[in-house]
Amino acid sequence: MPTSGRIGIESNADSVREAQNEQQERHSLHLLKLHLLKEENLHLKRLIALLNKEVEMWRESFSSPHHPVG
């Protein structure tokens, strides 16, 4: 095959590889974002559970017959 034909094929193969690499990078970033959102949601759920527990303890202390206002 003439050199110019090989250069065209190699150039085309490089373009395909670059496109595949870009697609793989986008996919990897997407998976990372999903993982981070999952972790963030887990931390938020834990925080909300702790806050709910604190609120419940606060309500119980105010509804107690020993509380000055209760």
Short mmCIF file of all heavy atoms in Angstrom, two decimals:
data_model
loop_
_atom_site.label_atom_id
_atom_site.label_comp_id
_atom_site.label_asym_id
_atom_site.label_seq_id
_atom_site.Cartn_x
_atom_site.Cartn_y
_atom_site.Cartn_z
N MET A 1 0.86 -1.18 0.00
CA MET A 1 0.00 0.00 0.00
C MET A 1 0.90 1.24 0.00
O MET A 1 1.87 1.29 0.75
CB MET A 1 -0.90 0.00 1.24
CG MET A 1 -1.81 1.19 1.30
SD MET A 1 -2.93 1.15 2.72
CE MET A 1 -4.20 0.13 2.06
N PRO A 2 0.55 2.22 -0.78
CA PRO A 2 1.35 3.45 -0.79
C PRO A 2 1.34 4.11 0.59
O PRO A 2 0.41 3.97 1.37
CB PRO A 2 0.65 4.35 -1.81
CG PRO A 2 -0.27 3.47 -2.57
CD PRO A 2 -0.53 2.26 -1.73
N THR A 3 2.40 4.85 0.85
CA THR A 3 2.55 5.50 2.16
C THR A 3 1.37 6.41 2.47
O THR A 3 0.87 6.43 3.58
CB THR A 3 3.86 6.30 2.19
OG1 THR A 3 4.93 5.44 1.87
CG2 THR A 3 4.08 6.89 3.55
N SER A 4 0.90 7.16 1.49
CA SER A 4 -0.21 8.09 1.74
C SER A 4 -1.47 7.35 2.17
O SER A 4 -2.23 7.82 3.01
CB SER A 4 -0.48 8.95 0.51
OG SER A 4 -0.89 8.13 -0.57
N GLY A 5 -1.70 6.16 1.63
CA GLY A 5 -2.86 5.36 2.02
C GLY A 5 -2.74 4.86 3.44
O GLY A 5 -3.70 4.85 4.21
N ARG A 6 -1.53 4.41 3.83
CA ARG A 6 -1.31 3.95 5.21
C ARG A 6 -1.48 5.08 6.20
O ARG A 6 -2.03 4.91 7.27
CB ARG A 6 0.08 3.34 5.34
CG ARG A 6 0.17 1.92 4.84
CD ARG A 6 1.46 1.28 5.32
NE ARG A 6 2.60 2.13 5.03
CZ ARG A 6 3.59 1.83 4.20
NH1 ARG A 6 3.59 0.68 3.58
NH2 ARG A 6 4.58 2.65 3.99
N ILE A 7 -0.99 6.26 5.82
CA ILE A 7 -1.12 7.43 6.71
C ILE A 7 -2.59 7.74 6.93
O ILE A 7 -3.02 8.03 8.04
CB ILE A 7 -0.35 8.65 6.15
CG1 ILE A 7 1.15 8.38 6.20
CG2 ILE A 7 -0.71 9.90 6.92
CD1 ILE A 7 1.98 9.43 5.50
N GLY A 8 -3.38 7.64 5.87
CA GLY A 8 -4.82 7.90 6.00
C GLY A 8 -5.48 6.89 6.93
O GLY A 8 -6.31 7.24 7.76
N ILE A 9 -5.11 5.61 6.80
CA ILE A 9 -5.68 4.56 7.65
C ILE A 9 -5.23 4.75 9.09
O ILE A 9 -6.04 4.68 10.02
CB ILE A 9 -5.28 3.16 7.13
CG1 ILE A 9 -5.98 2.89 5.80
CG2 ILE A 9 -5.63 2.09 8.15
CD1 ILE A 9 -5.52 1.64 5.10
N GLU A 10 -3.96 5.03 9.30
CA GLU A 10 -3.46 5.25 10.66
C GLU A 10 -4.09 6.47 11.29
O GLU A 10 -4.45 6.47 12.46
CB GLU A 10 -1.93 5.39 10.64
CG GLU A 10 -1.22 4.09 10.33
CD GLU A 10 0.27 4.28 10.09
OE1 GLU A 10 0.75 5.43 10.18
OE2 GLU A 10 0.94 3.28 9.80
N SER A 11 -4.26 7.52 10.48
CA SER A 11 -4.89 8.74 10.98
C SER A 11 -6.34 8.46 11.39
O SER A 11 -6.80 8.92 12.42
CB SER A 11 -4.84 9.82 9.90
OG SER A 11 -5.53 10.97 10.33
N ASN A 12 -7.04 7.67 10.56
CA ASN A 12 -8.42 7.31 10.86
C ASN A 12 -8.48 6.46 12.13
O ASN A 12 -9.34 6.65 12.98
CB ASN A 12 -9.03 6.57 9.68
CG ASN A 12 -10.52 6.38 9.85
OD1 ASN A 12 -11.19 7.19 10.47
ND2 ASN A 12 -11.04 5.31 9.28
N ALA A 13 -7.55 5.52 12.27
CA ALA A 13 -7.51 4.67 13.47
C ALA A 13 -7.24 5.51 14.71
O ALA A 13 -7.82 5.28 15.76
CB ALA A 13 -6.45 3.58 13.31
N ASP A 14 -6.35 6.50 14.59
CA ASP A 14 -6.09 7.40 15.73
C ASP A 14 -7.33 8.16 16.11
O ASP A 14 -7.63 8.32 17.29
CB ASP A 14 -4.96 8.38 15.38
CG ASP A 14 -3.59 7.72 15.33
OD1 ASP A 14 -3.46 6.59 15.87
OD2 ASP A 14 -2.66 8.32 14.75
N SER A 15 -8.08 8.62 15.13
CA SER A 15 -9.32 9.36 15.41
C SER A 15 -10.33 8.48 16.13
O SER A 15 -11.00 8.91 17.07
CB SER A 15 -9.94 9.88 14.11
OG SER A 15 -9.07 10.80 13.49
N VAL A 16 -10.44 7.22 15.68
CA VAL A 16 -11.37 6.28 16.31
C VAL A 16 -10.94 6.02 17.75
O VAL A 16 -11.76 6.03 18.67
CB VAL A 16 -11.45 4.96 15.50
CG1 VAL A 16 -12.19 3.89 16.28
CG2 VAL A 16 -12.10 5.21 14.16
N ARG A 17 -9.63 5.81 17.97
CA ARG A 17 -9.13 5.58 19.33
C ARG A 17 -9.39 6.79 20.22
O ARG A 17 -9.80 6.64 21.37
CB ARG A 17 -7.63 5.26 19.31
CG ARG A 17 -7.32 3.79 19.15
CD ARG A 17 -5.86 3.49 19.46
NE ARG A 17 -4.95 4.15 18.54
CZ ARG A 17 -4.56 3.67 17.36
NH1 ARG A 17 -5.02 2.51 16.96
NH2 ARG A 17 -3.72 4.33 16.60
N GLU A 18 -9.15 7.98 19.68
CA GLU A 18 -9.40 9.19 20.46
C GLU A 18 -10.87 9.30 20.84
O GLU A 18 -11.21 9.63 21.98
CB GLU A 18 -8.97 10.43 19.68
CG GLU A 18 -7.48 10.63 19.61
CD GLU A 18 -7.09 11.84 18.78
OE1 GLU A 18 -7.93 12.76 18.62
OE2 GLU A 18 -5.96 11.87 18.29
N ALA A 19 -11.76 9.02 19.90
CA ALA A 19 -13.20 9.07 20.18
C ALA A 19 -13.58 8.04 21.23
O ALA A 19 -14.37 8.31 22.14
CB ALA A 19 -14.00 8.85 18.90
N GLN A 20 -13.00 6.84 21.15
CA GLN A 20 -13.29 5.80 22.14
C GLN A 20 -12.77 6.20 23.51
O GLN A 20 -13.44 5.99 24.52
CB GLN A 20 -12.67 4.47 21.71
CG GLN A 20 -13.35 3.82 20.54
CD GLN A 20 -12.61 2.61 20.01
OE1 GLN A 20 -11.40 2.47 20.21
NE2 GLN A 20 -13.32 1.73 19.31
N ASN A 21 -11.58 6.78 23.54
CA ASN A 21 -11.02 7.24 24.82
C ASN A 21 -11.88 8.33 25.45
O ASN A 21 -12.12 8.33 26.66
CB ASN A 21 -9.58 7.74 24.63
CG ASN A 21 -8.60 6.61 24.39
OD1 ASN A 21 -8.89 5.46 24.68
ND2 ASN A 21 -7.45 6.96 23.85
N GLU A 22 -12.34 9.27 24.62
CA GLU A 22 -13.20 10.33 25.13
C GLU A 22 -14.51 9.75 25.68
O GLU A 22 -14.98 10.17 26.73
CB GLU A 22 -13.50 11.35 24.03
CG GLU A 22 -12.34 12.25 23.71
CD GLU A 22 -12.66 13.22 22.59
OE1 GLU A 22 -13.85 13.53 22.38
OE2 GLU A 22 -11.72 13.67 21.92
N GLN A 23 -15.07 8.80 24.95
CA GLN A 23 -16.31 8.17 25.40
C GLN A 23 -16.08 7.43 26.72
O GLN A 23 -16.90 7.53 27.64
CB GLN A 23 -16.83 7.20 24.33
CG GLN A 23 -18.15 6.57 24.69
CD GLN A 23 -18.65 5.64 23.60
OE1 GLN A 23 -17.95 5.35 22.63
NE2 GLN A 23 -19.88 5.17 23.74
N GLN A 24 -14.96 6.74 26.85
CA GLN A 24 -14.64 6.01 28.08
C GLN A 24 -14.45 6.99 29.24
O GLN A 24 -14.91 6.75 30.35
CB GLN A 24 -13.39 5.16 27.90
CG GLN A 24 -13.00 4.37 29.12
CD GLN A 24 -14.07 3.37 29.54
OE1 GLN A 24 -14.68 2.74 28.69
NE2 GLN A 24 -14.29 3.21 30.82
N GLU A 25 -13.80 8.12 28.98
CA GLU A 25 -13.61 9.13 30.02
C GLU A 25 -14.94 9.70 30.48
O GLU A 25 -15.18 9.87 31.68
CB GLU A 25 -12.71 10.25 29.51
CG GLU A 25 -11.25 9.87 29.42
CD GLU A 25 -10.39 10.98 28.85
OE1 GLU A 25 -10.81 12.16 28.88
OE2 GLU A 25 -9.29 10.67 28.37
N ARG A 26 -15.84 9.99 29.52
CA ARG A 26 -17.16 10.51 29.89
C ARG A 26 -17.92 9.48 30.72
O ARG A 26 -18.56 9.82 31.72
CB ARG A 26 -17.96 10.86 28.64
CG ARG A 26 -17.58 12.18 28.03
CD ARG A 26 -18.61 12.66 27.02
NE ARG A 26 -18.84 11.72 25.94
CZ ARG A 26 -18.14 11.66 24.82
NH1 ARG A 26 -17.15 12.50 24.61
NH2 ARG A 26 -18.42 10.77 23.89
N HIS A 27 -17.83 8.22 30.32
CA HIS A 27 -18.51 7.15 31.06
C HIS A 27 -17.94 7.03 32.48
O HIS A 27 -18.69 6.92 33.45
CB HIS A 27 -18.35 5.82 30.31
CG HIS A 27 -19.01 4.66 30.98
ND1 HIS A 27 -20.38 4.53 31.05
CD2 HIS A 27 -18.50 3.59 31.62
CE1 HIS A 27 -20.67 3.42 31.72
NE2 HIS A 27 -19.55 2.83 32.07
N SER A 28 -16.62 7.10 32.60
CA SER A 28 -15.98 7.02 33.92
C SER A 28 -16.39 8.18 34.80
O SER A 28 -16.67 8.01 35.99
CB SER A 28 -14.46 7.00 33.77
OG SER A 28 -14.04 5.84 33.09
N LEU A 29 -16.42 9.39 34.23
CA LEU A 29 -16.85 10.56 35.01
C LEU A 29 -18.31 10.42 35.45
O LEU A 29 -18.66 10.79 36.56
CB LEU A 29 -16.65 11.83 34.19
CG LEU A 29 -15.22 12.30 34.04
CD1 LEU A 29 -15.15 13.47 33.06
CD2 LEU A 29 -14.63 12.69 35.38
N HIS A 30 -19.14 9.89 34.56
CA HIS A 30 -20.55 9.68 34.90
C HIS A 30 -20.67 8.71 36.07
O HIS A 30 -21.42 8.97 37.02
CB HIS A 30 -21.30 9.16 33.67
CG HIS A 30 -22.74 8.89 33.91
ND1 HIS A 30 -23.66 9.90 34.09
CD2 HIS A 30 -23.43 7.73 33.99
CE1 HIS A 30 -24.85 9.37 34.29
NE2 HIS A 30 -24.74 8.06 34.23
N LEU A 31 -19.92 7.62 36.03
CA LEU A 31 -19.96 6.65 37.13
C LEU A 31 -19.45 7.26 38.43
O LEU A 31 -20.01 7.02 39.51
CB LEU A 31 -19.12 5.41 36.78
CG LEU A 31 -19.68 4.51 35.69
CD1 LEU A 31 -18.70 3.39 35.38
CD2 LEU A 31 -21.04 3.96 36.08
N LEU A 32 -18.41 8.09 38.34
CA LEU A 32 -17.88 8.76 39.53
C LEU A 32 -18.92 9.71 40.11
O LEU A 32 -19.14 9.73 41.33
CB LEU A 32 -16.61 9.53 39.17
CG LEU A 32 -15.96 10.31 40.30
CD1 LEU A 32 -15.54 9.39 41.43
CD2 LEU A 32 -14.76 11.09 39.77
N LYS A 33 -19.61 10.46 39.27
CA LYS A 33 -20.65 11.37 39.75
C LYS A 33 -21.76 10.59 40.44
O LYS A 33 -22.25 11.00 41.50
CB LYS A 33 -21.24 12.17 38.59
CG LYS A 33 -20.34 13.26 38.09
CD LYS A 33 -21.00 13.98 36.92
CE LYS A 33 -20.08 14.97 36.28
NZ LYS A 33 -20.71 15.63 35.11
N LEU A 34 -22.17 9.47 39.85
CA LEU A 34 -23.21 8.65 40.47
C LEU A 34 -22.77 8.15 41.85
O LEU A 34 -23.54 8.16 42.80
CB LEU A 34 -23.58 7.47 39.57
CG LEU A 34 -24.39 7.78 38.34
CD1 LEU A 34 -24.57 6.51 37.49
CD2 LEU A 34 -25.73 8.37 38.69
N HIS A 35 -21.52 7.71 41.92
CA HIS A 35 -20.98 7.21 43.19
C HIS A 35 -20.97 8.32 44.24
O HIS A 35 -21.37 8.11 45.38
CB HIS A 35 -19.58 6.66 42.99
CG HIS A 35 -18.91 6.23 44.25
ND1 HIS A 35 -19.29 5.10 44.94
CD2 HIS A 35 -17.92 6.81 44.98
CE1 HIS A 35 -18.55 4.99 46.03
NE2 HIS A 35 -17.72 6.01 46.08
N LEU A 36 -20.51 9.51 43.84
CA LEU A 36 -20.46 10.63 44.78
C LEU A 36 -21.85 11.03 45.24
O LEU A 36 -22.06 11.33 46.42
CB LEU A 36 -19.73 11.82 44.15
CG LEU A 36 -18.23 11.61 43.92
CD1 LEU A 36 -17.65 12.80 43.16
CD2 LEU A 36 -17.50 11.41 45.23
N LEU A 37 -22.81 11.03 44.33
CA LEU A 37 -24.18 11.35 44.71
C LEU A 37 -24.73 10.33 45.69
O LEU A 37 -25.41 10.67 46.65
CB LEU A 37 -25.08 11.44 43.48
CG LEU A 37 -24.94 12.69 42.63
CD1 LEU A 37 -25.78 12.56 41.36
CD2 LEU A 37 -25.36 13.92 43.41
N LYS A 38 -24.43 9.07 45.44
CA LYS A 38 -24.87 8.00 46.33
C LYS A 38 -24.28 8.20 47.73
O LYS A 38 -24.98 8.10 48.73
CB LYS A 38 -24.40 6.66 45.78
CG LYS A 38 -25.44 5.65 45.55
CD LYS A 38 -24.78 4.46 44.90
CE LYS A 38 -25.60 3.24 44.98
NZ LYS A 38 -24.97 2.12 44.31
N GLU A 39 -22.98 8.48 47.79
CA GLU A 39 -22.31 8.70 49.07
C GLU A 39 -22.88 9.93 49.76
O GLU A 39 -23.12 9.92 50.96
CB GLU A 39 -20.80 8.87 48.86
CG GLU A 39 -20.09 7.60 48.53
CD GLU A 39 -20.16 6.57 49.65
OE1 GLU A 39 -19.91 6.94 50.80
OE2 GLU A 39 -20.47 5.41 49.35
N GLU A 40 -23.10 10.99 48.98
CA GLU A 40 -23.65 12.22 49.54
C GLU A 40 -25.04 11.94 50.11
O GLU A 40 -25.38 12.40 51.20
CB GLU A 40 -23.72 13.29 48.45
CG GLU A 40 -24.13 14.65 48.96
CD GLU A 40 -24.08 15.69 47.87
OE1 GLU A 40 -23.00 15.87 47.26
OE2 GLU A 40 -25.12 16.32 47.63
N ASN A 41 -25.85 11.19 49.37
CA ASN A 41 -27.19 10.86 49.85
C ASN A 41 -27.12 10.03 51.13
O ASN A 41 -27.93 10.22 52.03
CB ASN A 41 -27.98 10.11 48.78
CG ASN A 41 -28.44 11.01 47.66
OD1 ASN A 41 -28.52 12.22 47.83
ND2 ASN A 41 -28.72 10.43 46.52
N LEU A 42 -26.17 9.12 51.20
CA LEU A 42 -26.02 8.31 52.40
C LEU A 42 -25.68 9.18 53.60
O LEU A 42 -26.26 9.04 54.67
CB LEU A 42 -24.93 7.26 52.18
CG LEU A 42 -24.64 6.32 53.35
CD1 LEU A 42 -25.89 5.51 53.71
CD2 LEU A 42 -23.49 5.40 52.99
N HIS A 43 -24.77 10.13 53.42
CA HIS A 43 -24.41 11.04 54.51
C HIS A 43 -25.59 11.93 54.91
O HIS A 43 -25.82 12.16 56.09
CB HIS A 43 -23.21 11.90 54.11
CG HIS A 43 -21.94 11.14 53.98
ND1 HIS A 43 -21.37 10.45 55.02
CD2 HIS A 43 -21.12 10.95 52.92
CE1 HIS A 43 -20.26 9.86 54.61
NE2 HIS A 43 -20.10 10.14 53.34
N LEU A 44 -26.34 12.38 53.91
CA LEU A 44 -27.52 13.21 54.22
C LEU A 44 -28.57 12.40 54.97
O LEU A 44 -29.17 12.91 55.92
CB LEU A 44 -28.11 13.78 52.93
CG LEU A 44 -27.32 14.89 52.26
CD1 LEU A 44 -27.93 15.25 50.92
CD2 LEU A 44 -27.24 16.11 53.16
N LYS A 45 -28.77 11.15 54.57
CA LYS A 45 -29.74 10.31 55.27
C LYS A 45 -29.33 10.10 56.72
O LYS A 45 -30.15 10.13 57.62
CB LYS A 45 -29.89 8.96 54.56
CG LYS A 45 -30.67 9.03 53.28
CD LYS A 45 -30.74 7.67 52.61
CE LYS A 45 -31.46 7.77 51.28
NZ LYS A 45 -31.51 6.48 50.61
N ARG A 46 -28.03 9.87 56.94
CA ARG A 46 -27.54 9.70 58.32
C ARG A 46 -27.74 10.97 59.13
O ARG A 46 -28.14 10.92 60.29
CB ARG A 46 -26.07 9.30 58.31
CG ARG A 46 -25.84 7.89 57.85
CD ARG A 46 -24.37 7.56 57.83
NE ARG A 46 -24.16 6.20 57.37
CZ ARG A 46 -23.02 5.76 56.90
NH1 ARG A 46 -21.97 6.55 56.82
NH2 ARG A 46 -22.90 4.51 56.50
N LEU A 47 -27.43 12.11 58.53
CA LEU A 47 -27.60 13.38 59.21
C LEU A 47 -29.06 13.62 59.56
O LEU A 47 -29.39 14.04 60.69
CB LEU A 47 -27.06 14.52 58.35
CG LEU A 47 -27.20 15.92 58.91
CD1 LEU A 47 -26.43 16.05 60.22
CD2 LEU A 47 -26.70 16.94 57.91
N ILE A 48 -29.94 13.35 58.63
CA ILE A 48 -31.38 13.53 58.88
C ILE A 48 -31.84 12.60 59.99
O ILE A 48 -32.62 13.00 60.87
CB ILE A 48 -32.18 13.31 57.58
CG1 ILE A 48 -31.91 14.47 56.62
CG2 ILE A 48 -33.67 13.16 57.86
CD1 ILE A 48 -32.43 14.26 55.22
N ALA A 49 -31.37 11.37 60.00
CA ALA A 49 -31.74 10.42 61.05
C ALA A 49 -31.27 10.92 62.41
O ALA A 49 -32.02 10.85 63.40
CB ALA A 49 -31.16 9.04 60.76
N LEU A 50 -30.04 11.44 62.47
CA LEU A 50 -29.54 11.99 63.74
C LEU A 50 -30.36 13.19 64.19
O LEU A 50 -30.69 13.32 65.38
CB LEU A 50 -28.08 12.39 63.60
CG LEU A 50 -27.07 11.24 63.56
CD1 LEU A 50 -25.69 11.77 63.21
CD2 LEU A 50 -27.03 10.53 64.90
N LEU A 51 -30.69 14.07 63.26
CA LEU A 51 -31.49 15.23 63.60
C LEU A 51 -32.89 14.83 64.07
O LEU A 51 -33.41 15.39 65.04
CB LEU A 51 -31.58 16.19 62.41
CG LEU A 51 -30.30 16.93 62.07
CD1 LEU A 51 -30.47 17.70 60.76
CD2 LEU A 51 -29.89 17.86 63.19
N ASN A 52 -33.48 13.85 63.40
CA ASN A 52 -34.80 13.37 63.82
C ASN A 52 -34.75 12.79 65.22
O ASN A 52 -35.67 13.00 66.03
CB ASN A 52 -35.34 12.33 62.83
CG ASN A 52 -35.85 12.97 61.57
OD1 ASN A 52 -36.22 14.13 61.54
ND2 ASN A 52 -35.85 12.20 60.49
N LYS A 53 -33.68 12.07 65.52
CA LYS A 53 -33.51 11.49 66.85
C LYS A 53 -33.39 12.61 67.90
O LYS A 53 -34.00 12.54 68.97
CB LYS A 53 -32.27 10.60 66.87
CG LYS A 53 -32.20 9.68 68.07
CD LYS A 53 -30.95 8.82 68.02
CE LYS A 53 -31.10 7.75 66.96
NZ LYS A 53 -30.00 6.78 66.96
N GLU A 54 -32.62 13.64 67.58
CA GLU A 54 -32.47 14.78 68.49
C GLU A 54 -33.81 15.48 68.73
O GLU A 54 -34.14 15.82 69.86
CB GLU A 54 -31.45 15.79 67.94
CG GLU A 54 -30.03 15.32 67.96
CD GLU A 54 -29.46 15.26 69.37
OE1 GLU A 54 -29.80 16.13 70.19
OE2 GLU A 54 -28.68 14.34 69.64
N VAL A 55 -34.56 15.68 67.67
CA VAL A 55 -35.86 16.34 67.79
C VAL A 55 -36.79 15.50 68.65
O VAL A 55 -37.50 16.02 69.51
CB VAL A 55 -36.47 16.62 66.40
CG1 VAL A 55 -37.94 17.00 66.50
CG2 VAL A 55 -35.67 17.69 65.68
N GLU A 56 -36.78 14.18 68.43
CA GLU A 56 -37.65 13.29 69.21
C GLU A 56 -37.27 13.32 70.68
O GLU A 56 -38.15 13.38 71.56
CB GLU A 56 -37.57 11.87 68.66
CG GLU A 56 -38.62 10.94 69.20
CD GLU A 56 -40.04 11.44 68.95
OE1 GLU A 56 -40.32 11.99 67.87
OE2 GLU A 56 -40.87 11.30 69.87
N MET A 57 -35.98 13.34 70.97
CA MET A 57 -35.53 13.42 72.37
C MET A 57 -35.96 14.75 72.98
O MET A 57 -36.39 14.82 74.13
CB MET A 57 -34.01 13.24 72.46
CG MET A 57 -33.57 11.82 72.21
SD MET A 57 -31.77 11.54 72.12
CE MET A 57 -31.05 12.72 73.18
N TRP A 58 -35.86 15.80 72.21
CA TRP A 58 -36.26 17.13 72.68
C TRP A 58 -37.76 17.16 72.98
O TRP A 58 -38.20 17.65 74.02
CB TRP A 58 -35.89 18.16 71.60
CG TRP A 58 -36.25 19.56 71.93
CD1 TRP A 58 -35.58 20.41 72.75
CD2 TRP A 58 -37.37 20.29 71.44
NE1 TRP A 58 -36.22 21.61 72.79
CE2 TRP A 58 -37.33 21.56 71.98
CE3 TRP A 58 -38.42 19.97 70.57
CZ2 TRP A 58 -38.28 22.53 71.71
CZ3 TRP A 58 -39.37 20.93 70.29
CH2 TRP A 58 -39.29 22.20 70.86
N ARG A 59 -38.56 16.59 72.06
CA ARG A 59 -40.02 16.54 72.27
C ARG A 59 -40.37 15.73 73.52
O ARG A 59 -41.24 16.12 74.30
CB ARG A 59 -40.70 15.90 71.07
CG ARG A 59 -40.82 16.80 69.89
CD ARG A 59 -41.57 16.12 68.77
NE ARG A 59 -41.66 17.01 67.63
CZ ARG A 59 -41.83 16.60 66.39
NH1 ARG A 59 -41.90 15.30 66.14
NH2 ARG A 59 -41.90 17.45 65.41
N GLU A 60 -39.69 14.59 73.68
CA GLU A 60 -39.96 13.75 74.86
C GLU A 60 -39.61 14.49 76.14
O GLU A 60 -40.33 14.39 77.13
CB GLU A 60 -39.17 12.44 74.77
CG GLU A 60 -39.72 11.48 73.73
CD GLU A 60 -38.85 10.25 73.57
OE1 GLU A 60 -37.85 10.10 74.31
OE2 GLU A 60 -39.15 9.45 72.67
N SER A 61 -38.52 15.24 76.12
CA SER A 61 -38.13 15.96 77.34
C SER A 61 -39.14 17.05 77.68
O SER A 61 -39.39 17.33 78.85
CB SER A 61 -36.72 16.53 77.21
OG SER A 61 -36.70 17.62 76.32
N PHE A 62 -39.74 17.67 76.69
CA PHE A 62 -40.72 18.72 76.96
C PHE A 62 -42.09 18.15 77.31
O PHE A 62 -42.89 18.82 77.96
CB PHE A 62 -40.84 19.67 75.76
CG PHE A 62 -39.82 20.76 75.78
CD1 PHE A 62 -38.62 20.62 75.11
CD2 PHE A 62 -40.04 21.92 76.50
CE1 PHE A 62 -37.67 21.62 75.13
CE2 PHE A 62 -39.09 22.93 76.54
CZ PHE A 62 -37.90 22.78 75.86
N SER A 63 -42.37 16.93 76.90
CA SER A 63 -43.67 16.35 77.23
C SER A 63 -43.60 15.57 78.53
O SER A 63 -44.62 15.08 79.03
CB SER A 63 -44.15 15.43 76.10
OG SER A 63 -43.27 14.34 75.96
N SER A 64 -42.44 15.52 79.12
CA SER A 64 -42.25 14.80 80.38
C SER A 64 -42.97 15.53 81.52
O SER A 64 -43.02 16.74 81.56
CB SER A 64 -40.74 14.72 80.69
OG SER A 64 -40.51 14.47 82.03
N PRO A 65 -43.57 14.76 82.45
CA PRO A 65 -44.24 15.41 83.59
C PRO A 65 -43.26 16.15 84.49
O PRO A 65 -43.65 17.03 85.25
CB PRO A 65 -44.90 14.25 84.33
CG PRO A 65 -44.32 13.01 83.79
CD PRO A 65 -43.66 13.34 82.48
N HIS A 66 -41.98 15.86 84.39
CA HIS A 66 -40.98 16.52 85.22
C HIS A 66 -40.49 17.85 84.62
O HIS A 66 -39.79 18.58 85.27
CB HIS A 66 -39.78 15.60 85.44
CG HIS A 66 -40.16 14.29 86.08
ND1 HIS A 66 -40.65 14.22 87.36
CD2 HIS A 66 -40.17 13.04 85.57
CE1 HIS A 66 -40.93 12.96 87.64
NE2 HIS A 66 -40.66 12.22 86.56
N HIS A 67 -40.89 18.13 83.39
CA HIS A 67 -40.45 19.37 82.77
C HIS A 67 -41.30 20.51 83.32
O HIS A 67 -42.50 20.38 83.46
CB HIS A 67 -40.63 19.28 81.24
CG HIS A 67 -39.98 20.41 80.52
ND1 HIS A 67 -40.62 21.60 80.32
CD2 HIS A 67 -38.74 20.53 79.97
CE1 HIS A 67 -39.82 22.42 79.68
NE2 HIS A 67 -38.67 21.78 79.44
N PRO A 68 -40.67 21.64 83.63
CA PRO A 68 -41.41 22.76 84.23
C PRO A 68 -42.57 23.24 83.39
O PRO A 68 -43.60 23.66 83.92
CB PRO A 68 -40.37 23.87 84.37
CG PRO A 68 -39.05 23.30 84.00
CD PRO A 68 -39.28 21.94 83.45
N VAL A 69 -42.45 23.19 82.07
CA VAL A 69 -43.54 23.67 81.21
C VAL A 69 -44.56 22.57 80.98
O VAL A 69 -45.73 22.82 80.83
CB VAL A 69 -42.97 24.18 79.86
CG1 VAL A 69 -44.07 24.65 78.94
CG2 VAL A 69 -41.95 25.27 80.08
N GLY A 70 -44.08 21.29 80.93
CA GLY A 70 -44.91 20.14 80.58
C GLY A 70 -45.99 19.94 81.54
O GLY A 70 -47.09 19.63 81.42
#
